[in-house]
């Protein structure tokens, strides 16, 4: 499963990218507002720091303006992916942009029927929002399983990008359910390393090694 980081904070993204485990980045207008700074400059810096796909979202509501925004976003760097909302206008923009060779990430997906339409529009990525469904009393992970089954039934190539991830268990369960990628907030990414038995086990090994009085180098 590819690991994307869900953030527009350049400093934080650079730090996480240094792990060598990051395959891409997703941003959205709320994350851009939270990070502050010039949108295009931020995108340039993120695209330089992370070689994989970097999703940047359009904000227009009509197809023509979405197309203009999407084409402009794609001039920032080759690894920009145009993020469009799962609306009729967004899917029309997706179809045209994909036909022009601009990869799209269809965002704000909350049902399997929506994901089917995004695949029909030729989207490179579909972003089902797990956490927001769970927050709403629905089964976010069940949606990933449904989309996986539909895409496998018809051999759709659209990649399932599990989004709105809240916990390490979300990451694990999305991987088990067959998501192609997960976009993870930096704090949740850091939590993936953690296990108390790793920490206590390492402490014991180092203590026992010290008692031998030897060195490796
Ligand atoms: C996905 O691309 C979105 O940016 C993101 O995952 C939204 O997550 P949230 O529900 O935590 O805002």
């Amino acid at each position: 499963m590819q690991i994307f980081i869900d953030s527009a904070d350049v400093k934080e993204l650079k730090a996480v990218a240094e792990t060598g485990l990051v395959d891409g980045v997703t941003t959205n207008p709320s994350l851009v507002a939270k990070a502050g700074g010039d949108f295009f400059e931020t995108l340039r810096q993120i695209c330089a720091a992370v070689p994989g796909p970097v999703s940047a979202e359009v904000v227009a509501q009509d197809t023509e303006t979405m197309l203009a925004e999407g084409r402009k976003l794609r001039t920032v760097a080759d690894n920009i992916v145009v993020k469009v909302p799962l609306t009729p206008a967004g899917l029309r923009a997706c179809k045209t942009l994909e036909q022009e060779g601009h990869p799209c990430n269809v965002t704000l997906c909350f049902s399997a029927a929506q994901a089917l339409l995004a695949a029909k529009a030729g989207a490179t990525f579909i972003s089902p929002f797990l956490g927001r469904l769970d927050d709403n009393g629905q089964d976010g992970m069940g949606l990933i399983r449904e989309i996986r089954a539909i895409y496998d039934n018809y051999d759709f190539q659209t990649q399932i990008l599990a989004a709105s991830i809240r916990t390490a268990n979300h990451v694990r369960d999305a991987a088990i359910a067959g998501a192609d990628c997960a976009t993870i907030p930096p704090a949740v990414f850091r939590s993936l390393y953690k296990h108390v038995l790793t920490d206590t086990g390492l402490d014991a090994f180092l203590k026992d090694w010290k008692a031998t009085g030897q060195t490796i180098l």
Side-chain angles (χ1 to χ4, degrees):
M1 185 173 70
Q2 298 172 77
I3 290 182
F4 294 174
I5 302 297
D6 200 27
S7 172
D9 182 325
V10 176
K11 199 173 155 201
E12 196 158 37
L13 285 170
K14 281 183 178 166
V16 179
E18 278 175 11
T19 63
L21 301 176
V22 173
D23 300 298
V25 170
T26 54
T27 68
N28 65 42
S30 302
L31 291 170
V32 170
K34 186 175 164 202
D38 177 76
F39 181 37
F40 283 91
E41 183 51 30
T42 298
L43 288 179
R44 266 187 283 278
Q45 291 186 30
I46 295 172
C47 289
V50 181
V54 174
S55 290
E57 191 159 340
V58 300
V59 290
Q61 299 300 299
D62 65 285
T63 303
E64 281 312 309
T65 319
M66 282 183 192
L67 289 172
E69 289 181 351
R71 291 173 189 134
K72 182 170 177 187
L73 289 168
R74 283 277 298 159
T75 64
V76 171
D78 287 344
N79 52 335
I80 286 281
V81 171
V82 181
K83 215 173 179 188
V84 297
L86 210 155
T87 60
L91 292 189
R92 279 199 301 276
C94 172
K95 186 162 188 179
T96 300
L97 288 166
E98 289 280 356
Q99 283 168 346
E100 291 175 356
H102 304 304
C104 292
N105 173 0
V106 176
T107 189
L108 292 166
C109 172
F110 295 96
S111 80
Q114 289 179 321
L116 172 61
L117 294 181
K120 296 285 290 177
T124 298
F125 298 102
I126 181 70
S127 289
F129 276 37
L130 307 184
R132 292 193 194 187
L133 276 170
D134 289 355
D135 295 346
N136 200 41
Q138 293 170 276
D139 179 11
M141 211 52 68
L143 176 57
I144 298 287
R145 287 191 289 272
E146 289 173 3
I147 299 172
R148 181 74 280 154
I150 291 169
Y151 284 8
D152 289 350
N153 280 348
Y154 300 99
D155 203 22
F156 284 123
Q157 296 306 301
T158 301
Q159 296 179 56
I160 303 172
L161 203 181
S164 189
I165 295 272
R166 305 271 194 262
T167 64
N169 286 351
H170 265 163
V171 178
R172 176 199 64 198
D173 292 344
I176 292 170
D180 299 286
C181 343
T183 188
I184 309 173
V188 175
F189 174 77
R190 287 189 288 272
S191 80
L192 297 180
Y193 287 92
K194 299 283 183 195
H195 197 288
V196 65
L197 295 180
T198 303
D199 297 339
T200 55
L202 184 59
D203 286 348
F205 284 157
L206 292 178
K207 185 167 168 271
D208 291 343
W209 175 252
K210 197 172 177 188
T212 72
Q214 300 181 69
T215 60
I216 294 177
L217 295 177

mmCIF file of all heavy atoms in Angstrom, residues 6 26-28 31 83 105 107 127 129 132 163-166 183, ligand 1:
data_model
loop_
_atom_site.group_PDB
_atom_site.id
_atom_site.type_symbol
_atom_site.label_atom_id
_atom_site.label_comp_id
_atom_site.label_asym_id
_atom_site.label_seq_id
_atom_site.Cartn_x
_atom_site.Cartn_y
_atom_site.Cartn_z
ATOM 1 N N ASP A 6 -1.219 13.512 4.580
ATOM 2 C CA ASP A 6 -2.337 14.448 4.409
ATOM 3 C C ASP A 6 -1.990 15.741 5.144
ATOM 4 O O ASP A 6 -2.286 15.884 6.337
ATOM 5 C CB ASP A 6 -3.580 13.785 5.017
ATOM 6 C CG ASP A 6 -4.887 14.382 4.516
ATOM 7 O OD1 ASP A 6 -4.916 14.905 3.392
ATOM 8 O OD2 ASP A 6 -5.888 14.292 5.253
ATOM 9 N N THR A 26 -1.342 14.506 0.023
ATOM 10 C CA THR A 26 -2.632 15.095 -0.347
ATOM 11 C C THR A 26 -2.808 16.390 0.431
ATOM 12 O O THR A 26 -2.443 16.474 1.604
ATOM 13 C CB THR A 26 -3.818 14.156 -0.043
ATOM 14 O OG1 THR A 26 -3.773 13.766 1.326
ATOM 15 C CG2 THR A 26 -3.801 12.922 -0.927
ATOM 16 N N THR A 27 -3.358 17.382 -0.256
ATOM 17 C CA THR A 27 -3.713 18.638 0.424
ATOM 18 C C THR A 27 -5.196 18.871 0.155
ATOM 19 O O THR A 27 -5.803 18.207 -0.688
ATOM 20 C CB THR A 27 -2.914 19.838 -0.120
ATOM 21 O OG1 THR A 27 -3.331 20.115 -1.471
ATOM 22 C CG2 THR A 27 -1.412 19.567 -0.104
ATOM 23 N N ASN A 28 -5.774 19.780 0.897
ATOM 24 C CA ASN A 28 -7.133 20.249 0.591
ATOM 25 C C ASN A 28 -7.194 21.713 1.016
ATOM 26 O O ASN A 28 -6.265 22.199 1.691
ATOM 27 C CB ASN A 28 -8.195 19.360 1.263
ATOM 28 C CG ASN A 28 -8.160 19.415 2.772
ATOM 29 O OD1 ASN A 28 -7.996 20.479 3.357
ATOM 30 N ND2 ASN A 28 -8.329 18.279 3.432
ATOM 31 N N LEU A 31 -6.525 22.337 4.720
ATOM 32 C CA LEU A 31 -5.125 22.127 5.129
ATOM 33 C C LEU A 31 -4.238 23.282 4.654
ATOM 34 O O LEU A 31 -3.319 23.697 5.364
ATOM 35 C CB LEU A 31 -4.606 20.793 4.566
ATOM 36 C CG LEU A 31 -5.223 19.530 5.171
ATOM 37 C CD1 LEU A 31 -4.813 18.292 4.367
ATOM 38 C CD2 LEU A 31 -4.814 19.372 6.636
ATOM 39 N N LYS A 83 -7.172 17.567 -7.761
ATOM 40 C CA LYS A 83 -8.235 17.033 -6.910
ATOM 41 C C LYS A 83 -9.531 17.748 -7.255
ATOM 42 O O LYS A 83 -9.594 18.976 -7.229
ATOM 43 C CB LYS A 83 -7.855 17.312 -5.454
ATOM 44 C CG LYS A 83 -8.260 16.251 -4.470
ATOM 45 C CD LYS A 83 -7.655 16.611 -3.115
ATOM 46 C CE LYS A 83 -8.018 15.640 -2.057
ATOM 47 N NZ LYS A 83 -7.587 16.121 -0.736
ATOM 48 N N ASN A 105 -7.675 13.148 -8.711
ATOM 49 C CA ASN A 105 -8.081 12.494 -7.474
ATOM 50 C C ASN A 105 -9.484 13.018 -7.162
ATOM 51 O O ASN A 105 -9.651 14.216 -6.924
ATOM 52 C CB ASN A 105 -7.080 12.870 -6.367
ATOM 53 C CG ASN A 105 -7.488 12.387 -4.989
ATOM 54 O OD1 ASN A 105 -8.533 11.764 -4.816
ATOM 55 N ND2 ASN A 105 -6.654 12.703 -4.002
ATOM 56 N N THR A 107 -12.382 13.603 -4.812
ATOM 57 C CA THR A 107 -12.423 13.700 -3.362
ATOM 58 C C THR A 107 -13.852 13.802 -2.842
ATOM 59 O O THR A 107 -14.796 13.982 -3.611
ATOM 60 C CB THR A 107 -11.570 14.914 -2.901
ATOM 61 O OG1 THR A 107 -11.444 14.866 -1.480
ATOM 62 C CG2 THR A 107 -12.179 16.235 -3.320
ATOM 63 N N SER A 127 -11.051 9.083 -3.435
ATOM 64 C CA SER A 127 -10.773 9.277 -2.003
ATOM 65 C C SER A 127 -12.026 9.102 -1.154
ATOM 66 O O SER A 127 -12.780 10.057 -0.925
ATOM 67 C CB SER A 127 -10.199 10.686 -1.767
ATOM 68 O OG SER A 127 -8.895 10.790 -2.279
ATOM 69 N N PHE A 129 -13.750 8.970 2.364
ATOM 70 C CA PHE A 129 -13.387 9.611 3.643
ATOM 71 C C PHE A 129 -13.856 8.741 4.817
ATOM 72 O O PHE A 129 -14.995 8.870 5.293
ATOM 73 C CB PHE A 129 -14.051 10.993 3.723
ATOM 74 C CG PHE A 129 -13.303 12.100 3.035
ATOM 75 C CD1 PHE A 129 -12.616 11.899 1.855
ATOM 76 C CD2 PHE A 129 -13.294 13.386 3.586
ATOM 77 C CE1 PHE A 129 -11.936 12.936 1.223
ATOM 78 C CE2 PHE A 129 -12.613 14.437 2.974
ATOM 79 C CZ PHE A 129 -11.938 14.207 1.781
ATOM 80 N N ARG A 132 -14.696 10.606 8.452
ATOM 81 C CA ARG A 132 -15.924 11.424 8.481
ATOM 82 C C ARG A 132 -17.161 10.535 8.454
ATOM 83 O O ARG A 132 -18.188 10.883 9.049
ATOM 84 C CB ARG A 132 -15.927 12.418 7.312
ATOM 85 C CG ARG A 132 -14.859 13.482 7.468
ATOM 86 C CD ARG A 132 -15.055 14.637 6.514
ATOM 87 N NE ARG A 132 -13.846 15.450 6.458
ATOM 88 C CZ ARG A 132 -13.746 16.600 5.815
ATOM 89 N NH1 ARG A 132 -14.793 17.082 5.167
ATOM 90 N NH2 ARG A 132 -12.611 17.268 5.804
ATOM 91 N N ALA A 163 -8.934 7.941 2.790
ATOM 92 C CA ALA A 163 -8.696 9.298 3.300
ATOM 93 C C ALA A 163 -9.456 9.512 4.600
ATOM 94 O O ALA A 163 -10.216 8.645 5.035
ATOM 95 C CB ALA A 163 -9.128 10.325 2.253
ATOM 96 N N SER A 164 -9.207 10.674 5.206
ATOM 97 C CA SER A 164 -9.824 11.001 6.492
ATOM 98 C C SER A 164 -9.476 9.917 7.515
ATOM 99 O O SER A 164 -10.329 9.429 8.240
ATOM 100 C CB SER A 164 -11.348 11.149 6.309
ATOM 101 O OG SER A 164 -11.954 11.657 7.466
ATOM 102 N N ILE A 165 -8.210 9.581 7.523
ATOM 103 C CA ILE A 165 -7.680 8.556 8.437
ATOM 104 C C ILE A 165 -7.450 9.197 9.802
ATOM 105 O O ILE A 165 -6.866 10.271 9.898
ATOM 106 C CB ILE A 165 -6.326 8.036 7.880
ATOM 107 C CG1 ILE A 165 -6.525 7.316 6.547
ATOM 108 C CG2 ILE A 165 -5.582 7.204 8.914
ATOM 109 C CD1 ILE A 165 -6.836 5.872 6.613
ATOM 110 N N ARG A 166 -7.911 8.511 10.852
ATOM 111 C CA ARG A 166 -7.782 9.070 12.206
ATOM 112 C C ARG A 166 -6.787 8.319 13.093
ATOM 113 O O ARG A 166 -6.274 8.877 14.054
ATOM 114 C CB ARG A 166 -9.140 9.028 12.910
ATOM 115 C CG ARG A 166 -10.273 9.720 12.170
ATOM 116 C CD ARG A 166 -10.356 11.184 12.561
ATOM 117 N NE ARG A 166 -11.609 11.758 12.129
ATOM 118 C CZ ARG A 166 -11.759 12.480 11.015
ATOM 119 N NH1 ARG A 166 -10.728 12.718 10.228
ATOM 120 N NH2 ARG A 166 -12.951 12.980 10.698
ATOM 121 N N THR A 183 -3.992 8.076 2.848
ATOM 122 C CA THR A 183 -3.395 9.377 3.146
ATOM 123 C C THR A 183 -3.572 9.655 4.626
ATOM 124 O O THR A 183 -4.682 9.584 5.164
ATOM 125 C CB THR A 183 -3.925 10.510 2.238
ATOM 126 O OG1 THR A 183 -3.126 11.671 2.508
ATOM 127 C CG2 THR A 183 -5.403 10.811 2.415
HETATM 128 C C1 LIG B 1 -8.145 13.728 1.755
HETATM 129 O O1 LIG B 1 -7.539 13.920 0.726
HETATM 130 C C2 LIG B 1 -8.484 14.794 2.715
HETATM 131 O O2 LIG B 1 -7.519 15.802 2.643
HETATM 132 C C3 LIG B 1 -8.488 14.349 4.144
HETATM 133 O O3 LIG B 1 -8.122 13.012 4.306
HETATM 134 C C4 LIG B 1 -9.636 14.828 4.936
HETATM 135 O O4 LIG B 1 -9.534 14.338 6.239
HETATM 136 P P1 LIG B 1 -10.315 14.965 7.480
HETATM 137 O O5 LIG B 1 -11.647 14.317 7.558
HETATM 138 O O6 LIG B 1 -9.459 14.594 8.670
HETATM 139 O O7 LIG B 1 -10.389 16.444 7.270
#
